[in-house]
Amino acid sequence: VSACEKGEQWVQALQLFHEMADFRVERNTVTFSAAVSACEKGEQWVQALQLFHEMADFRVERNIITFSAAVSACEKGEQWV
């Protein structure tokens, strides 16, 4: 997921991220953050915020990286309010 994020391949990053659940691979702060960052870099603010909120649903700790990526995604999407 992180490699896709760094390569600005947000679609592939999300695909891999969702496949993790299909294969019962634990999704944690690092993988969620990479997925949120991939969406941010791909200017996909809606998906970034969905993932950000899913973290709370799955009781995954959000950190400064996740918050920053979510805020940056909103900024790139001009979602000020």
Side-chain angles (χ1 to χ4, degrees), residues 4-74:
C4 292
E5 176 255 325
K6 287 177 177 45
E8 298 184 14
Q9 301 295 316
W10 70 270
V11 174
Q12 290 84 353
L14 287 183
Q15 183 178 358
L16 286 171
F17 179 78
H18 291 299
E19 285 178 4
M20 290 177 71
D22 295 341
F23 290 100
R24 294 188 173 94
V25 176
E26 181 184 1
R27 298 182 297 178
N28 58 26
T29 302
V30 173
T31 56
F32 266 99
S33 294
V36 172
S37 292
C39 292
E40 175 259 327
K41 287 181 178 162
E43 298 183 10
Q44 303 298 311
W45 68 271
V46 172
Q47 287 89 342
L49 289 183
Q50 286 174 340
L51 289 168
F52 184 79
H53 291 296
E54 277 184 36
M55 291 179 79
D57 296 341
F58 289 104
R59 293 188 168 88
V60 175
E61 181 180 349
R62 295 180 275 192
N63 62 18
I64 190 69
I65 295 167
T66 315
F67 275 96
S68 294
V71 168
S72 182
C74 292

